């Protein structure tokens, strides 16, 4: 069978780490390829790593066809949803995939002709939710909106070395978003220095941000408002004092009744 590999589709699948690849290779050699590879026409759309290993070791495999897609874009959206549903995908990978889906959906909607208001016959977009807010993307990726914001920052400003470090788990998303604010040379040096160097770089960025953050100015109250606030505080203290005196009298009475009066 002539199976085609589309490089653009292949890019939607993050490469396995050496440990993950070795584990999959051992499993396929021991148990065989139990899950069928999925093809769209003659293009592979699911099972790229299994196909590579099976071809390498002449391990038999099955294929199934999913020809329900009208375009390559439909295949991309299906692949993204397929990966988002997998528990083995990290928060960073899910965030990147969800942001890709947002771009695809936005491009698709931009190509559609404008619909007149009240047109009930207009085709519904099955890629809803609308994907026009960070909350939509975060919900699909099962992370917080703040995490999506950090991933966007990493995607825009991080060097390839830093993106690879966060993808493999050498640095957290939060720390990587901070390191991504450094010049490229410093990012590369931090990655080369290992986990401790990355954490130190992230800490330095956080401290610099705290140091440059303007201090909160003291709010000046109107004299009458300030006087009213002081009177309220005094009244509260008087009530508290009265409660304490009452409690003290009760305790003394209980001690006296028990014959343990300290007077």
């Amino acid at each position: 069978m002539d199976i085609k590999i589309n490089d653009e589709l292949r890019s939607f699948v993050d490469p396995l780490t050496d440990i993950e690849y070795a584990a999959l290779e051992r499993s396929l050699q021991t148990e065989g390829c139990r899950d069928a590879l999925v093809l769209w026409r003659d293009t592979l759309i699911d099972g790229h790593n299994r196909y590579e290993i099976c071809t390498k070791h002449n391990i038999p495999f099955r294929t199934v066809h999913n020809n329900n897609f009208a375009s390559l874009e439909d295949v991309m959206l299906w692949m993204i949803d397929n990966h988002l549903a997998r528990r083995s995908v990290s928060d960073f990978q899910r965030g990147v995939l969800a942001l890709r889906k947002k771009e695809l959906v936005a491009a698709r909607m931009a190509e559609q002709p404008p619909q007149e208001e009240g047109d009930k016959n207009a085709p519904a977009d099955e890629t809803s939710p609308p994907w026009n807010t960070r909350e939509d993307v975060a919900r699909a990726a099962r992370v917080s909106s703040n995490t999506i914001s950090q991933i966007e920052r990493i995607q825009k400003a991080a060097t390839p070395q830093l993106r690879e470090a966060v993808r493999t788990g050498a640095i957290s998303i939060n720390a990587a978003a901070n390191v991504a604010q450094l010049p490229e040379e410093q990012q590369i040096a931090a990655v080369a220095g290992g986990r401790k160097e990355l954490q130190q770089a992230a800490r330095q960025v956080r401290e610099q941000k705290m140091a440059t953050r303007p201090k909160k100015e003291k709010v000046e109250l109107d004299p009458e408002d300030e006087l009213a606030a002081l009177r309220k505080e005094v009244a509260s203290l008087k009530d508290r004092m009265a409660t304490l005196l009452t409690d003290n009298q009760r305790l003394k009475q209980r001690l006296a009744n028990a014959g343990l009066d300290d007077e």
Side-chain angles (χ1 to χ4, degrees):
M1 180 182 297
D2 184 19
I3 296 178
K4 294 182 179 179
I5 303 296
N6 182 296
D7 290 336
E8 190 174 7
L9 294 180
R10 182 71 176 85
S11 68
F12 279 79
V13 184
D14 273 336
L16 299 176
T17 64
D18 293 340
I19 294 176
E20 292 170 338
Y21 190 91
L24 179 60
E25 192 169 27
R26 286 194 302 270
S27 174
L28 291 171
Q29 288 179 304
T30 303
E31 304 173 11
C33 187
R34 295 176 295 179
D35 298 323
L37 310 183
V38 183
L39 304 177
W40 173 56
R41 299 169 184 168
D42 56 356
T43 300
L44 184 63
I45 62 175
D46 185 54
H48 289 80
N49 292 305
R50 283 175 286 138
Y51 174 70
E52 180 180 305
I53 295 172
C54 288
T55 302
K56 176 182 175 182
H57 296 287
N58 294 318
I59 300 172
F61 58 84
R62 296 178 296 108
T63 61
V64 295
H65 286 78
N66 188 341
N67 294 326
N68 297 322
F69 307 114
S71 65
L72 191 66
E73 184 183 82
D74 290 336
V75 176
M76 291 178 181
L77 291 170
W78 177 86
M79 289 182 67
I80 289 175
D81 289 338
N82 198 31
H83 286 291
L84 284 174
R86 292 176 174 170
R87 289 180 293 178
S88 60
V89 179
S90 69
D91 288 349
F92 178 71
Q93 292 169 320
R94 285 200 304 271
V96 170
L97 288 169
L99 286 169
R100 281 193 179 186
K101 180 169 183 178
K102 179 186 177 183
E103 293 175 359
L104 288 170
V105 172
R108 166 177 284 185
M109 295 183 69
E111 292 175 355
Q112 292 179 353
Q115 299 175 3
E116 295 184 4
E117 188 175 353
D119 185 2
K120 297 181 179 179
N121 296 322
D125 188 353
E126 296 181 356
T127 56
S128 295
W131 292 84
N132 55 4
T133 67
R134 186 171 285 121
E135 287 71 21
D136 294 329
V137 179
R139 196 176 302 113
R142 304 197 300 279
V143 297
S144 67
S145 298
N146 184 53
T147 297
I148 289 296
S149 178
Q150 292 171 342
I151 292 174
E152 285 181 309
R153 190 185 309 163
I154 293 169
Q155 292 291 91
K156 291 178 181 178
T159 62
Q161 294 87 342
L162 181 57
R163 288 198 297 271
E164 179 65 12
V166 68
R167 188 190 72 81
T168 58
I171 184 175
S172 68
I173 296 172
N174 180 48
N178 283 316
V179 177
Q181 299 178 60
L182 294 171
E184 290 187 2
E185 297 80 7
Q186 294 184 34
Q187 292 185 39
I188 295 172
V191 174
R195 187 183 296 270
K196 288 186 177 180
E197 188 69 25
L198 283 167
Q199 292 173 345
Q200 178 64 23
R203 189 180 303 112
Q204 289 177 353
V205 173
R206 287 196 298 269
E207 290 174 353
Q208 290 173 1
K209 287 162 61 176
M210 291 294 294
T212 57
R213 185 175 299 170
K215 296 181 179 179
K216 293 183 179 179
E217 297 181 0
K218 183 178 180 181
V219 179
E220 296 292 339
L221 295 177
D222 183 89
E224 293 186 2
D225 292 338
E226 187 172 3
L227 180 60
L230 288 173
R231 286 174 175 171
K232 185 176 181 180
E233 185 176 355
V234 169
S236 177
L237 290 172
K238 285 182 177 180
D239 289 342
R240 179 63 177 162
M241 179 64 71
T243 301
L244 290 173
L245 289 172
T246 301
D247 291 343
N248 187 44
Q249 290 297 325
R250 288 176 181 169
L251 288 172
K252 284 185 176 182
Q253 186 63 44
R254 289 176 62 185
L255 288 171
N257 294 339
L260 298 175
D261 196 347
D262 57 356
E263 294 182 353

